[in-house]
Amino acid sequence: MEDILDTFLVLVDGRPHPDHPADGNLVRRLTEKMGQLTFSLSKVKARHDIAAAIEEIKRQLQEGAERRARYRVDDVLARPAAAATSIDPRLAALFTKRSQLVGMNVPMSTLINMLSASDDDMSNRKMKIVCVVGFGGIVKTTLAKRVFDEFKANFCCAAFVSVGRIPDLKKVFRDILINLGHTDSNLMVLDETQLINSVRGFLESKRYFIVIDDIWDEPSWNIIRCALDDNNLGSRIIITTRIHAVAEKVGCSYQMEPLSYESSKQLFCGRIFGFGSKCPDLFSEISEKLLRKCGGVPLAIITTSSLLANKPRNIKVWSELCDSIGSGFESNQDMDNMRKILSLSYIDLPCHLKNCVLYLSIFP
């Protein structure tokens, strides 16, 4: 219909010609009006065709509405045979081998020191919450899991649960209870309030250690925090997030930093040539280019090196991969997972920074 209206404006809805503006001359004005009348009479066929076209569209709309009512489309519910479920790409970070972890010693010792008890007995009994904050792919989850494995033996019970960008808080509370060893079989029928009360009741007299991974907003953390009661038994909590507002809410935070060049190189070469091995001189220059593109982000280094490990050790192949990394032409499961994780950081940017990133992508 918009197209038809545009046609109407062009063919029918005439305007006084800009070269002949109306003025005070009566004869000239009369001549122009007569010309416009003649011009209008010559467009009767165009008016008729446009009216017919609009009527045809109205007729098609009416038929569509009648078909919709006849086949009762709104009453049909989609029931796929097997709903496609996406696998959390961060899941692999929970099961990374210790031998493959590089540059973790300093962050681990720092985080453990932040969680450890002090000399003050009263301070020891207070619950401590530490937030690990950093952008996607900087291995916050890997660090939290490593500290969790090292530290959990010091507590009565422990749990590691993930939240995610679109949180299901019922599932989060159920996961906490199940990880802590709660055996109630009625968890699925409880609402949020009942689940919070169950968590608080279960932890009331226990010294616990809980990791809440990947929190995206303050409201979600505020609700989860309600379930984690400070019972003055020296419990510890780690949360990981990309959102600095969440970290500021917690107060005590550890900022994750990209890997140093040496650690990046160690991780990169270890994935391709075996840990403890050095990069051959033939590939040293192209390796430096690839590492600069990865920018010290462990996820990018691991993904790129894993891709190269499955390719021929040929300088031309490596150069082609280096040129194609930013274009998205290279594709495998690891690359897709990396893009999925990093794209979440892009989605969370404010609009003006999204535009900035798009310009940088177009004009690297």
Side-chain angles (χ1 to χ4, degrees):
M1 283 188 172
E2 287 179 355
D3 292 342
I4 291 170
L5 289 174
D6 287 340
T7 304
F8 175 84
L9 291 173
V10 173
L11 299 180
V12 177
D13 188 19
R15 300 280 194 273
H17 198 279
D19 294 337
H20 302 287
D23 56 24
N25 189 308
L26 182 61
V27 175
R28 189 169 193 173
R29 286 167 58 195
L30 182 60
T31 304
E32 287 178 354
K33 286 184 178 292
M34 291 297 291
Q36 290 173 10
L37 179 61
T38 305
F39 190 59
S40 297
L41 291 173
S42 66
K43 294 180 179 178
V44 170
K45 184 177 186 303
R47 290 174 181 272
H48 179 270
D49 291 344
I50 289 169
I54 291 176
E55 287 299 322
E56 174 61 19
I57 289 178
K58 290 169 69 177
R59 184 188 65 78
Q60 291 177 14
L61 288 171
Q62 183 61 34
E63 286 184 357
E66 291 173 356
R67 280 196 302 274
R68 186 183 186 86
R70 185 164 61 249
Y71 294 115
R72 306 179 78 174
V73 173
D74 291 331
D75 294 339
V76 178
L77 297 177
R79 294 185 180 89
T85 57
S86 60
I87 298 173
D88 187 348
R90 296 173 300 111
L91 193 60
L94 301 178
F95 305 99
T96 305
K97 294 179 181 178
R98 290 192 180 188
S99 60
Q100 297 177 345
L101 296 174
V102 175
M104 280 286 174
N105 291 335
V106 173
M108 268 194 66
S109 60
T110 304
L111 190 55
I112 288 174
N113 286 337
M114 295 172 74
L115 292 167
S116 297
S118 62
D119 295 332
D120 183 4
D121 185 61
M122 289 299 295
S123 177
N124 291 343
R125 298 183 68 84
K126 289 184 178 179
M127 182 170 66
K128 286 187 180 179
I129 305 175
V130 178
C131 178
V132 179
V133 61
F135 54 84
I138 201 76
V139 296
K140 301 183 298 296
T141 299
T142 304
L143 173 62
K145 184 62 166 63
R146 182 76 188 277
V147 172
F148 177 77
D149 291 339
E150 293 281 338
F151 213 54
K152 65 182 179 181
N154 300 324
F155 298 85
C156 299
C157 54
F160 189 110
V161 298
S162 294
V163 179
R165 188 164 180 266
I166 304 174
D168 180 352
L169 293 182
K170 286 184 180 180
K171 182 179 184 303
V172 171
F173 293 132
R174 285 197 298 266
D175 288 347
I176 290 174
L177 287 166
I178 292 169
N179 277 260
L180 290 172
H182 195 276
T183 56
D184 191 345
S185 59
N186 296 321
L187 295 179
M188 295 302 295
V189 300
L190 302 180
D191 60 21
E192 284 93 341
T193 304
Q194 293 168 327
L195 287 167
I196 289 173
N197 288 329
S198 295
V199 174
R200 290 175 67 93
F202 188 83
L203 296 175
E204 186 176 10
S205 58
K206 295 181 177 66
R207 184 171 183 262
Y208 58 87
F209 179 35
I210 295 178
V211 177
I212 309 294
D213 182 44
D214 200 29
I215 294 178
W216 277 82
D217 56 78
E218 290 182 66
S220 295
W221 166 240
N222 291 338
I223 295 173
I224 294 170
R225 179 68 182 84
C226 292
L228 306 176
D229 187 30
D230 184 359
N231 51 18
N232 288 317
L233 292 175
S235 298
R236 299 292 185 262
I237 296 171
I238 296 176
I239 71 170
T240 71
T241 184
R242 307 177 187 212
I243 312 303
H244 283 272
V246 175
E248 291 170 1
K249 184 83 173 178
V250 173
C252 182
S253 63
Y254 175 73
Q255 174 71 51
M256 289 289 292
E257 299 292 342
L259 292 177
S260 66
Y261 175 76
E262 288 303 321
S263 295
S264 298
K265 191 173 182 179
Q266 182 184 350
L267 179 60
F268 181 81
C269 295
R271 285 269 173 166
I272 300 173
F273 305 107
F275 285 90
S277 304
K278 292 185 178 180
C279 181
D281 293 338
L282 177 64
F283 298 100
S284 60
E285 184 178 348
I286 189 65
S287 296
E288 288 185 8
K289 287 183 179 179
L290 286 163
L291 287 173
R292 280 199 297 273
K293 288 201 171 191
C294 292
V297 180
L299 175 66
I301 296 170
I302 291 169
T303 302
T304 305
S305 56
S306 298
L307 196 61
L308 286 171
N310 296 319
K311 289 183 177 292
R313 293 181 184 177
N314 181 296
I315 196 69
K316 182 181 178 182
V317 173
W318 282 40
S319 298
E320 288 174 353
L321 175 66
C322 183
D323 294 337
S324 69
I325 279 179
S327 65
F329 293 145
E330 277 291 346
S331 181
N332 68 0
Q333 188 62 51
D334 290 333
M335 278 286 185
D336 292 342
N337 286 341
M338 181 180 73
R339 292 190 187 107
K340 192 180 296 183
I341 291 172
L342 296 181
S343 68
L344 292 176
S345 295
Y346 171 78
I347 291 169
D348 193 58
L349 289 173
C351 291
H352 68 285
L353 289 182
K354 284 184 179 179
N355 288 338
C356 179
V357 171
L358 289 176
Y359 276 115
L360 292 174
S361 302
I362 296 169
F363 305 107

